[in-house]
Amino acid sequence: MRSSLTDVRKQTVLDELIFLREWIGNPLKTGAVSPSGRWLARAMASEVDLSTDGPVIELGPGTGVFTKAMIDRGVAPERLILIEYNPDFCRLLAKRFPGVQIVNGDAYALGGHLEALGISEVASIVTGLPLLSRPMARRIELIDAGVKALKPGKPLIQFTYGPQAPVPAQPGRFDVRRGRRVLFNLPPATTWIYSRD
């Protein structure tokens, strides 16, 4: 038990260092100085619809904090498709999560990636992308592309550290509802769930 706790601490420190290095190299692409905490990861994973068949997409997985939480919750690795821009993170994810499909590319080109993979509908989308670093029009495009790829009523899960949704609802295109407020994350975060009727 003690050695497993030590391994978890070592992994956490390693992830912090990797994230910090990547953030220093390109802060707008990495978007955070450190990975999200386990409480936020669990809150994000809890919104994934396990009762619906089909792929689960993760946008901007980084070192795989949300990926691990989804697998721990019961999402089969072969259902997961991770779209990650950073090739170093892609290599790390491939090593950590055998059986998961990894696409090295821009998450904002989601529609093109799904078309190339021959996927028309997905069960859930989880995203840790730093949306607030992008112009609002670009954010709306991403959420719109995501909800169009989802089966009706299924969730696109995003989080933010701010008090408001990073993208407001767009009548006729998608709705948004507040999920969980995660006070144990540093800084505290809120999950937001986007969907279409």
Side-chain angles (χ1 to χ4, degrees):
M1 176 72 171
R2 188 177 195 95
S3 100
S4 126
L5 204 55
T6 304
D7 290 345
V8 169
R9 286 188 183 131
K10 283 180 184 174
Q11 190 61 65
T12 301
V13 171
L14 177 62
D15 285 357
E16 296 277 347
L17 291 172
I18 292 168
F19 242 86
L20 181 59
R21 182 191 72 204
E22 297 301 322
W23 181 81
I24 289 168
N26 196 338
L28 291 180
K29 291 288 184 192
T30 304
V33 178
S34 66
S36 299
R38 70 178 186 271
W39 298 106
L40 176 56
R42 288 177 188 160
M44 296 284 283
S46 74
E47 296 288 348
V48 173
D49 187 344
L50 296 180
S51 66
T52 302
D53 291 334
V56 174
I57 308 295
E58 185 177 359
L59 306 178
T63 59
V65 175
F66 296 161
T67 312
K68 182 180 183 322
M70 286 190 283
I71 291 170
D72 288 349
R73 182 159 182 256
V75 177
E78 57 273 10
R79 288 184 64 192
L80 286 167
I81 300 171
L82 315 181
I83 302 176
E84 173 57 53
Y85 185 80
N86 185 312
D88 291 334
F89 284 157
C90 287
R91 284 188 286 276
L92 181 68
L93 292 163
K95 197 180 301 182
R96 287 188 178 169
F97 304 107
V100 168
Q101 186 169 357
I102 299 163
V103 175
N104 183 197
D106 184 358
Y108 284 85
L110 174 63
H113 294 306
L114 294 178
E115 188 178 329
L117 294 168
I119 296 170
S120 57
E121 279 191 327
V122 300
S124 297
I125 298 174
V126 171
T127 163
L129 295 173
L131 292 188
L132 297 180
S133 70
R134 297 292 182 110
M136 182 58 78
R138 198 76 174 103
R139 295 184 230 169
I140 292 171
E141 283 174 19
L142 176 75
I143 300 296
D144 196 41
V147 296
K148 282 178 179 170
L150 288 165
K151 295 179 180 182
K154 298 309 166 189
L156 182 152
I157 308 123
Q158 172 71 46
F159 78 92
T160 184
Y161 300 123
Q164 297 178 338
V167 180
Q170 301 294 302
R173 293 164 83 179
F174 55 80
D175 294 317
V176 62
R177 69 174 170 83
R178 184 189 303 266
R180 296 183 184 182
R181 183 88 172 121
V182 184
L183 298 175
F184 289 117
N185 196 69
L186 289 175
T190 302
T191 61
W192 299 91
I193 295 83
Y194 293 86
S195 62
R196 65 185 170 101
D197 294 335

